[in-house]
Amino acid sequence: HLQLVESGGGLVQPGGSLIVSCSASESTTDRLDHYAVGWFRQAPLREREGVALISSYGDTTWYADSVRGRFTISRDNAKNTIYLHMEKLNPEDSGVYYCATGAPTPTMRPDEWAIWGQGTQVTVSS
């Protein structure tokens, strides 16, 4: 059973950059390179929203309008890891960032994804 682990969150100043990572847990032999993966985020009192998606081969990506041009999703299948490189961060980017997999087709709708990590907190504040 595939399990996901996010890492790399933290506190960053407005305008700064941060990279968060998503890996398969060490307790599983499943590999992420068979799956499309999505990054989502949830701020307090707000619904979870899609941020960026990447196909299983990494040849196709999708971005929410709010992050396009600032965020880059990528994957290193040899390392079984997906990255979200975030630049020009602003306070509205704060929230818990989750990675997910197991959707029939890549979509920004969170309810279509079956397997979720525990999340990593990103706080953008001066």
Side-chain angles (χ1 to χ4, degrees), residues 2-14:
L2 185 63
Q3 294 179 311
L4 303 178
V5 179
E6 300 95 336
S7 61
L11 174 64
V12 61
Q13 291 188 342

Side-chain angles (χ1 to χ4, degrees), residues 75-87:
R75 67 191 304 156
D76 185 338
N77 284 341
K79 295 182 178 180
N80 215 18
T81 301
I82 286 80
Y83 304 97
L84 185 67
H85 185 181
M86 303 180 287
E87 298 181 334

Side-chain angles (χ1 to χ4, degrees), residues 5-126:
V5 179
E6 300 95 336
S7 61
L11 174 64
V12 61
Q13 291 188 342
S17 301
L18 194 66
I19 300 174
V20 292
S21 302
C22 171
S23 301
S25 71
E26 295 180 354
S27 63
T28 179
T29 57
D30 286 342
R31 294 192 57 82
L32 278 174
D33 54 359
H34 298 149
Y35 304 95
V37 174
W39 278 102
F40 299 80
R41 66 187 180 189
Q42 188 166 18
L45 304 179
R46 297 185 64 177
E47 293 186 353
R48 192 169 299 188
E49 62 176 354
V51 175
L53 315 174
I54 189 166
S55 62
S56 59
Y57 290 105
D59 55 342
T60 306
T61 57
W62 300 262
Y63 295 95
D65 290 342
S66 59
V67 306
R68 186 175 292 112
R70 299 188 299 121
F71 289 13
T72 303
I73 188 171
S74 63
R75 67 191 304 156
D76 185 338
N77 284 341
K79 295 182 178 180
N80 215 18
T81 301
I82 286 80
Y83 304 97
L84 185 67
H85 185 181
M86 303 180 287
E87 298 181 334
K88 301 178 182 178
L89 286 161
N90 58 65
E92 289 70 37
D93 295 316
S94 297
V96 179
Y97 281 69
Y98 300 90
C99 63
T101 192
T105 57
T107 170
M108 288 292 181
R109 292 185 53 180
D111 57 358
E112 296 287 330
W113 298 77
I115 301 171
W116 292 83
Q118 83 290 346
T120 186
Q121 177 71 46
V122 173
T123 303
V124 184
S125 176
S126 55

